[in-house]
């Protein structure tokens, strides 16, 4: 039997190049080797902001996220895509796991403080504190072995591993201890060169950006600030334009030539950026084509999500039954 992958995202807006090299590339690449489950974590999205408007927006973001998945090459025939809240048995597993960890352990998860700072939250809700516990239930209700995620998620996968170990130690072996899989470029710089690419900072190139937008964002990118003229030697290291060349330009000779000339003060920023824009447009072209294909077929996303939920529900229920039996609670007696 194939090993399983479970991973996913909160539906909070468009995915960008950082997501691609951080995790999406791995998800697409491993579709044949693994049985892959991809979840849209709508309940998780609400832990950050539970305002009615945001809850409603989550529905549209869900569709956008699935289109992003399809656009980068996730194939619904291979990968099961579903919405978290369509599979309610995950919430029962979440409850069981919530009994097996402590409040101080969850208070030590670094993302908690980061989210509280970013969202100006003074006291975390019980649900926000329990965010990594729900994520553990997501991963373990399909008994996944591998979790391709961005680097920021490592501490959550650690909580998942601890919960699997704790459960298995107390009640017997039910859950695998899953590994995180981080992409080739764990941290892609933003176009501003200052921090990592992030939707909320306005330094992102989105997978759904049109050609003119990409052109314009590349033209405005931060480069080596010491280089006020093309004949001043520059530094490709730590320079986001070259980080993107490394990540997205398959023409290695061209990239090495540009770096050499940059170091020698023999190439202008304009040429380096023009070539990057070409590489990015080539990279995005098939993504745009697939997006257009699916966008022209309304109903496809709903169908994919309905099929996905129908496929995951029995797997999730089976896991829950195994867990309850191991605990001594017994199977759920009757369920429609
Ligand atoms: N916390 C993840 C993020 O913000 C989203 C997520 C929810 C997830 N459940 C998951 C990722 C399970 C991997 C596995 O990106």
């Amino acid at each position: 039997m194939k090993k399983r992958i479970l991973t996913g995202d909160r539906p909070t807006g468009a995915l960008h190049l950082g997501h691609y090299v951080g995790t999406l590339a791995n998800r697409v690449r491993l579709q044949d080797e693994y049985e892959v489950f991809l979840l849209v974590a709508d309940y998780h999205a609400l832990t950050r902001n539970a305002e009615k408007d945001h809850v409603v927006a989550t529905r549209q973001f869900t569709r956008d996220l699935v289109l992003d998945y399809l656009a980068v090459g996730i194939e619904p025939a291979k990968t099961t895509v579903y919405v978290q809240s369509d599979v309610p048995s995950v919430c029962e597993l979440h409850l069981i796991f919530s009994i097996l960890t402590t409040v101080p352990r969850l208070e030590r998860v670094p993302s908690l403080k980061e989210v509280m700072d970013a969202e100006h939250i003074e006291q975390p809700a019980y649900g926000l504190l329990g965010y990594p516990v729900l994520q553990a239930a997501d991963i373990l209700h399909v008994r996944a072995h591998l979790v391709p995620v961005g680097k920021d998620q490592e501490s959550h996968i650690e909580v998942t591993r601890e919960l699997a170990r704790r459960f298995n130690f107390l009640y017997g072996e039910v859950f695998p201890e899953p590994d995180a899989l981080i992409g080739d470029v764990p941290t892609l710089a933003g176009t501003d060169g200052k921090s990592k690419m992030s939707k909320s900072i306005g330094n992102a190139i989105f997978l759904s950006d049109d050609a003119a937008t990409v052109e314009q964002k590349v033209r405005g990118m931060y480069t080596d600030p010491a280089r006020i003229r093309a004949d001043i030697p520059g530094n490709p290291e730590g320079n986001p334009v070259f980080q993107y060349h490394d990540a997205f330009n398959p023409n290695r000779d061209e990239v090495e030539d540009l770096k050499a000339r940059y170091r020698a003060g023999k190439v202008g920023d304009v040429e380096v950026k023009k070539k990057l824009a070409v590489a990015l447009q080539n990279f995005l072209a098939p993504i745009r084509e697939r997006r257009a294909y699916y966008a022209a077929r309304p109903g496809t996303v709903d169908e994919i999500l309905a099929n996905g939920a129908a496929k995951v529900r029995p797997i999730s229920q089976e896991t829950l039954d195994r867990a309850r039996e191991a605990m001594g609670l017994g199977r759920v007696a009757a369920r429609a």
Side-chain angles (χ1 to χ4, degrees):
M1 252 210 359
K2 281 185 186 174
K3 291 197 165 186
R4 284 182 181 158
I5 279 179
L6 183 133
T7 185
D9 301 274
R10 281 172 292 118
T12 51
L15 299 181
H16 52 59
L17 296 179
H19 292 117
Y20 189 86
V21 288
T23 175
L24 293 172
N26 275 335
R27 300 175 185 183
V28 173
R29 180 171 63 82
L30 295 171
Q31 283 182 107
D32 291 309
E33 200 181 319
Y34 285 79
E35 185 180 5
V36 183
F37 296 90
L38 202 45
L39 100 158
V40 179
D42 58 346
Y43 278 144
H44 272 124
L46 306 191
T47 61
R48 288 192 168 213
N49 179 347
E51 303 261 335
K52 172 89 188 217
D53 287 354
H54 185 249
V55 180
V56 173
T58 296
R59 305 281 295 183
Q60 183 56 43
F61 285 146
T62 292
R63 309 182 60 80
D64 298 344
L65 183 58
V66 176
L67 270 183
D68 268 333
Y69 287 160
L70 297 168
V72 295
I74 293 293
E75 295 179 44
K78 296 179 182 167
T79 290
T80 304
V81 187
Y82 71 99
V83 176
Q84 186 180 42
S85 66
D86 282 343
V87 186
S89 42
V90 77
C91 300
E92 299 183 53
L93 193 60
H94 167 239
L95 185 135
I96 292 171
F97 286 158
S98 75
I99 300 162
L100 304 182
T101 188
T102 66
V103 171
R105 171 66 185 93
L106 296 173
E107 282 173 338
R108 277 202 307 277
V109 175
S111 58
L112 176 67
K113 195 177 171 316
E114 286 163 22
V115 171
M116 287 175 63
D117 288 347
E119 307 285 338
H120 310 289
I121 296 169
E122 299 225 339
Q123 290 296 333
Y126 178 55
L128 181 60
L129 188 69
Y131 186 113
V133 183
L134 179 56
Q135 187 162 346
D138 288 332
I139 294 165
L140 294 176
H141 81 138
V142 302
R143 286 163 273 133
H145 305 89
L146 192 66
V147 192
V149 278
K151 193 157 177 46
D152 60 319
Q153 295 295 309
E154 266 176 324
S155 63
H156 294 176
I157 312 307
E158 196 45 48
V159 173
T160 303
R161 294 169 59 85
E162 284 172 26
L163 282 165
R165 271 202 299 276
R166 179 97 185 118
F167 185 99
N168 292 345
F169 169 76
L170 287 172
Y171 307 117
E173 197 76 22
V174 171
F175 298 107
E177 228 180 274
D179 291 308
L181 177 70
I182 313 296
D184 290 342
V185 187
T187 313
L188 190 74
T191 52
D192 60 358
K194 291 203 182 68
S195 38
K196 75 169 193 172
M197 187 173 283
S198 160
K199 159 180 70 213
S200 53
I201 304 181
N203 64 1
I205 295 176
F206 295 101
L207 298 168
S208 48
D209 278 344
D210 62 25
T213 308
V214 170
E215 255 350 290
Q216 184 213 330
K217 285 181 178 175
V218 170
R219 227 182 298 125
M221 272 182 78
Y222 174 96
T223 53
D224 186 341
R227 236 173 140 252
I228 43 181
R229 282 196 329 263
D231 60 355
I232 299 175
N235 189 3
E237 278 73 44
N239 185 325
V241 178
F242 282 101
Q243 193 193 20
Y244 292 13
H245 264 298
D246 283 334
F248 297 102
N249 189 344
N251 186 345
R252 302 325 304 169
D253 291 344
E254 177 174 280
V255 175
E256 288 317 310
D257 169 63
L258 287 174
K259 282 184 185 171
R261 287 196 287 138
Y262 200 77
R263 284 196 192 94
K266 292 210 162 81
V267 65
D269 279 334
V270 175
E271 182 183 341
V272 181
K273 286 181 173 177
K274 265 200 183 131
K275 291 197 162 129
L276 175 61
V278 171
L280 286 178
Q281 304 292 17
N282 287 340
F283 167 75
L284 290 169
I287 294 179
R288 290 185 184 127
E289 230 171 83
R290 280 189 294 261
R291 182 188 307 279
Y293 173 89
Y294 284 106
R297 284 162 182 75
T300 310
V301 169
D302 291 322
E303 203 180 302
I304 288 169
L305 292 177
N307 290 340
K311 173 131 188 255
V312 178
R313 274 186 210 117
I315 297 172
S316 176
Q317 192 53 51
E318 160 75 17
T319 304
L320 187 63
D321 278 332
R322 282 196 208 179
R324 289 179 48 112
E325 252 171 345
M327 294 170 78
L329 273 172
R331 294 189 157 238
V332 175
R335 205 186 282 260

